[in-house]
Amino acid sequence: MLKYTLIPLLPFISFLINILFGRNYIKDKAHWIAVPAVAGSFLLAVSAFFDVAGGRDINVNIYSWIVSGSFNVSVGFLIDRLSAIMLIVVTSISTLIFIYSIGYMHGDGGYYRFFAYLSLFVFSMLILVMANNFLLLYFGWEAVGLCSYLLIGYWFHKKSAADAGKKAFIVNRFGDFGFGLGVILIFLTFGSLDYMQVFGSAGGIAGQTINLLGYDVDLITLISLLLFCGAVGKSAQVPLHVWLPDAMEGPTPVSALIHAATMVTAGVFMVARTNPLFSLSEVAMNTVAVVGGLTAIFAATIALVQTDIKRVIAYSTVSQLGYMFLALGVGAYSAAIFHLYTHAYFKALLFLGSGSVIHALNDEQNMQKMGGLKKYMPVTYWVFILATLSITGIPFFSGFFSKDEILWRAYLAGDLGKFLWFLGTVAALLTAFYSWRLIYLTFHGKFRGTPEQEHHLHESPPVITVPLMLLAVGAVAAGWVGIPPIFAEHGDKIGEFLAPVLGYPEGEGTHAQEYFVLGASILVAVAGWIIAYTMYIKRTELPQKLGAAFQPLYKLLFNKYYIDELYSKTIVQPTLKASDKIILGFDTHVIEGVVNGVPNLIGAFSRKLRKIQTGLLSDYGLIMAIGALSIIGIWVFLK
């Protein structure tokens, strides 16, 4: 039991040591505490993985947390095949990001604070994936939200960063409100928050309804949709996606951690974990699938025209998360987790690679001011190429296997599934285009920055490039565990591994259908690559001409469909105006009424009272007589 408890405990100890002693004692040596701690968690996670690989699940309660009547919740851990994979993803990616951060954050004034927050982030995510009950899951869920606020707004003296941190925290409150209601409804329905008890009893309430605002609503559907509200916020699905691109205001290692290993993957994990509930509701499943499919293509269109290198990758994350939810919605839970697993490596590589570029350009993030970096940064360039080959689905890189599995399972899921497959395939075309556009604008052509920037261009130090090269191995080979049976007699090991927890999707198509889906996937990946090459290498005047010819569409995409402006008009500004009126009115009439009114009342009373001070002995005698008679009268009355 101690081994499993240490997995989240080591990063938490690192957080406590650095936050308590970092400022005065540890200072720029904070990584000597944080890196061994998260690396230790990784080694323990690997050990736990092999413990459950043979089929043995670990479900232990550490201690009773809350006992109040029938409400009994323990701090306990469930490590099965699903959480074992998540532990490997979280700890391996985090270890490399921690090492990378040593070089990237060197010289920062809050160095100890940065590693303290990173450690707390990892602890929170580990608690989330290891929890064996909904309340502990909710604790980890909210804790990663807190850490995102702290890390996105890490450079709090910078207004845009502070605003981005607040935006992430507030937007997630909308989703988490629904998630919290879902957890409460689970307890009211099942009388327990323990996973095993809830999942074991879920079939018994299938078909039951609850009256909501005068309408009879399917109970399982309501619970599932409320839980999904949390996933929409945490995993940045439409319409709560707006916080994630702004999260780029945080340091690049934070972006990599959020997008690859922690926060945004929490929603995907949660829906997969609660699959016994979602699978009982066709409405909930279809909702998840449609939201995922629309998000995949919606975010991909925005990424086509962005110029900030990190924002392009951020919208790519939103789009890839859409793929994962599409898979969850069609019942391909293992395919979603498989893509989460491969995506973690190539997306962390893309973000850390962009960080290497930004570091070399003295914090420049505009791709229009880059170009020609290939000769100056060969290691960064080639790992970027490998990550791009993976995310665009070029055979036989990691992303190819996981994305193709999602598209295949969507194609088999009836008419709605074929529509979602079409959306996913178009999104794959767009993904290939904007990914290679990023490569060509950043690394090819002539350098478009300042002469001073060009003079200082250099490859990043080994503390940055070594983690990039290790992540590149994952971007290339992590997906080989899920080679489909069409390529190998004993393929799809990841699906078989997760089947005891997530089941295996029903429906097997013909080889002709599978070759068709596979061929279409490869075709759009290559087509997107060719289009990007043509526009940014062969005919560099085309982007400007197309932008001018389709200016309204370009402006719409560049301004992200004006969703932020819409929220500002309909929610933010009215709320601020109403708050100003309420606060101003309360302050004027209540606070100032008390603060100024009481002294004024005392002053008025005093002015009246002092008139009895005449200086005449006869007046004082009369007052004393009246006082004495009053006391005697009160005493007689009371007696």
Side-chain angles (χ1 to χ4, degrees):
M1 183 184 299
L2 178 61
K3 176 173 71 173
Y4 309 123
T5 305
L6 283 174
I7 295 175
L9 190 59
L10 287 176
F12 185 68
I13 292 171
S14 167
F15 160 72
L16 289 178
I17 293 174
N18 276 323
I19 203 67
L20 293 175
F21 306 108
R23 183 171 186 174
N24 295 323
Y25 303 103
I26 301 173
K27 298 180 181 178
D28 60 352
K29 303 295 189 297
H31 57 273
W32 288 110
I33 306 295
V35 174
V38 73
S41 293
F42 168 66
L43 295 176
L44 293 171
V46 171
S47 175
F49 177 87
F50 285 109
D51 287 345
V52 303
R56 180 173 70 92
D57 292 343
I58 299 154
N59 190 356
V60 295
N61 289 320
I62 308 300
Y63 66 91
S64 292
W65 183 11
I66 302 173
V67 179
S68 177
S70 60
F71 187 62
N72 193 331
V73 180
S74 297
V75 172
F77 299 139
L78 171 63
I79 304 178
D80 56 11
R81 296 185 175 201
L82 172 60
S83 50
I85 287 180
M86 291 298 298
L87 289 177
I88 294 293
V89 170
V90 173
T91 56
S92 63
I93 299 291
S94 297
T95 300
L96 294 176
I97 290 173
F98 275 49
I99 295 172
Y100 175 97
S101 299
I102 298 172
Y104 193 87
M105 298 301 292
H106 177 71
D108 186 88
Y111 192 79
Y112 77 93
R113 180 168 54 90
F114 180 79
F115 276 100
Y117 291 166
L118 280 189
S119 299
L120 184 62
F121 208 165
V122 175
F123 160 76
S124 303
M125 189 65 188
L126 292 174
I127 288 291
L128 190 154
V129 301
M130 292 175 66
N132 70 354
N133 63 78
F134 283 94
L135 190 62
L136 192 59
L137 167 71
Y138 189 75
F139 171 82
W141 191 270
E142 293 302 319
V144 295
L146 168 65
C147 293
S148 70
Y149 167 74
L150 295 172
L151 285 166
I152 293 170
Y154 171 76
W155 286 314
F156 55 85
H157 55 276
K158 184 180 174 186
K159 186 178 185 301
S160 58
D163 289 345
K166 288 182 285 187
K167 185 176 183 179
F169 192 78
I170 293 169
V171 170
N172 271 276
R173 300 287 63 73
F174 286 89
D176 291 358
F177 178 72
F179 184 73
L181 291 178
V183 172
I184 293 171
L185 190 54
I186 286 172
F187 176 74
L188 294 176
T189 303
F190 297 99
S192 174
L193 292 176
D194 182 83
Y195 287 158
M196 295 299 103
Q197 293 185 44
V198 172
F199 298 155
S201 306
I205 68 164
Q208 289 188 22
T209 60
I210 184 174
N211 189 273
L212 183 66
L213 302 176
Y215 296 93
D216 289 333
V217 179
D218 184 75
L219 185 55
I220 284 290
T221 298
L222 181 59
I223 290 173
S224 299
L225 290 178
L226 286 172
L227 293 177
F228 184 56
C229 285
V232 169
K234 204 65 85 195
S235 295
Q237 297 297 282
V238 171
L240 299 182
H241 65 284
V242 292
W243 68 269
L244 191 57
D246 285 10
M248 300 305 96
E249 291 291 343
T252 297
V254 173
S255 303
L257 196 61
I258 290 176
H259 287 248
T262 56
M263 184 144 164
V264 298
T265 63
V268 179
F269 166 79
M270 184 272 292
V271 175
R273 169 60 77 201
T274 55
N275 74 88
L277 301 178
F278 279 86
S279 296
L280 294 173
S281 171
E282 183 179 357
V283 172
M285 293 290 283
N286 288 341
T287 301
V288 173
V290 170
V291 169
L294 292 177
T295 300
I297 196 164
F298 174 85
T301 58
I302 296 175
L304 295 175
V305 298
Q306 299 303 306
T307 56
D308 186 310
I309 187 171
K310 286 175 67 176
R311 284 185 182 270
V312 173
I313 304 172
Y315 279 108
S316 170
T317 299
V318 177
S319 182
Q320 296 300 310
L321 289 165
Y323 272 109
M324 298 175 208
F325 281 105
L326 190 160
L328 293 169
V330 299
Y333 299 105
S334 59
I337 296 301
F338 182 27
H339 196 54
L340 182 156
Y341 157 70
T342 60
H343 174 266
Y345 292 98
F346 61 69
K347 186 51 57 71
L349 179 54
L350 286 171
F351 266 114
L352 297 186
S354 71
S356 178
V357 170
I358 294 166
H359 186 73
L361 289 170
N362 195 26
D363 297 330
E364 178 60 65
Q365 295 184 198
N366 188 344
M367 294 186 297
Q368 304 287 5
K369 298 179 181 179
M370 298 180 186
L373 300 184
K374 176 183 175 181
K375 63 181 179 181
Y376 299 104
M377 309 180 71
V379 175
T380 301
Y381 171 72
W382 284 110
V383 296
F384 233 114
I385 289 289
L386 294 176
T388 301
L389 291 169
S390 189
I391 192 175
T392 56
I394 298 298
F396 296 86
F397 290 82
S398 293
F400 166 74
F401 297 112
S402 56
K403 185 192 72 176
D404 183 68
E405 179 69 11
I406 290 175
L407 294 175
W408 172 235
R409 291 300 166 187
Y411 186 84
L412 296 177
D415 292 337
L416 177 61
K418 286 183 172 58
F419 170 69
L420 294 171
W421 163 79
F422 174 75
L423 290 183
T425 303
V426 174
L429 171 67
L430 302 180
T431 300
F433 173 79
Y434 67 66
S435 297
W436 287 107
R437 170 181 176 264
L438 185 153
I439 290 286
Y440 294 137
L441 282 176
T442 304
F443 294 99
H444 289 255
K446 295 182 179 179
F447 183 71
R448 298 179 295 276
T450 65
E452 184 180 355
Q453 285 178 321
E454 186 171 19
H455 178 71
H456 290 95
L457 280 175
H458 62 281
E459 184 59 89
S460 298
V463 72
I464 289 179
T465 56
V466 169
L468 293 180
M469 289 185 283
L470 293 175
L471 284 169
V473 175
V476 173
W480 293 354
V481 297
I483 296 175
I486 195 172
F487 290 124
E489 183 179 353
H490 302 290
D492 197 14
K493 295 297 184 183
I494 191 81
E496 294 175 5
F497 181 78
L498 289 170
V501 183
L502 303 178
Y504 206 78
E506 297 179 0
E508 294 295 334
T510 64
H511 282 305
Q513 290 175 317
E514 191 165 1
Y515 280 122
F516 166 73
V517 172
L518 185 66
S521 177
I522 297 173
L523 179 64
V524 297
V526 174
W529 188 351
I530 292 172
I531 295 170
Y533 179 79
T534 302
M535 292 180 63
Y536 293 96
I537 296 297
K538 300 295 290 182
R539 299 185 59 188
T540 54
E541 77 282 0
L542 271 180
Q544 188 172 0
K545 287 183 178 179
L546 289 172
F550 299 95
Q551 189 174 28
L553 178 60
Y554 176 83
K555 288 180 66 177
L556 182 68
L557 297 180
F558 187 77
N559 289 287
K560 303 156 285 186
Y561 294 97
Y562 296 99
I563 300 295
D564 281 293
E565 289 78 3
L566 177 64
Y567 282 162
S568 179
K569 281 280 188 184
T570 59
I571 298 176
V572 177
Q573 291 181 17
T575 300
L576 290 175
K577 288 179 181 178
S579 300
D580 284 343
K581 290 181 179 178
I582 293 170
I583 292 172
L584 185 61
F586 185 79
D587 182 67
T588 302
H589 297 100
V590 179
I591 302 297
E592 290 191 14
V594 172
V595 172
N596 297 326
V598 172
N600 290 339
L601 182 62
I602 294 172
F605 179 72
S606 300
R607 285 191 294 272
K608 296 288 186 183
L609 188 63
R610 70 186 178 190
K611 290 181 179 180
I612 67 174
Q613 301 291 336
T614 63
L616 298 176
L617 185 60
S618 58
D619 290 344
Y620 295 153
L622 178 61
I623 292 171
M624 291 172 64
I626 292 172
L629 288 173
S630 298
I631 293 172
I632 293 170
I634 293 171
W635 179 75
V636 170
F637 177 77
L638 293 176
K639 190 174 180 181

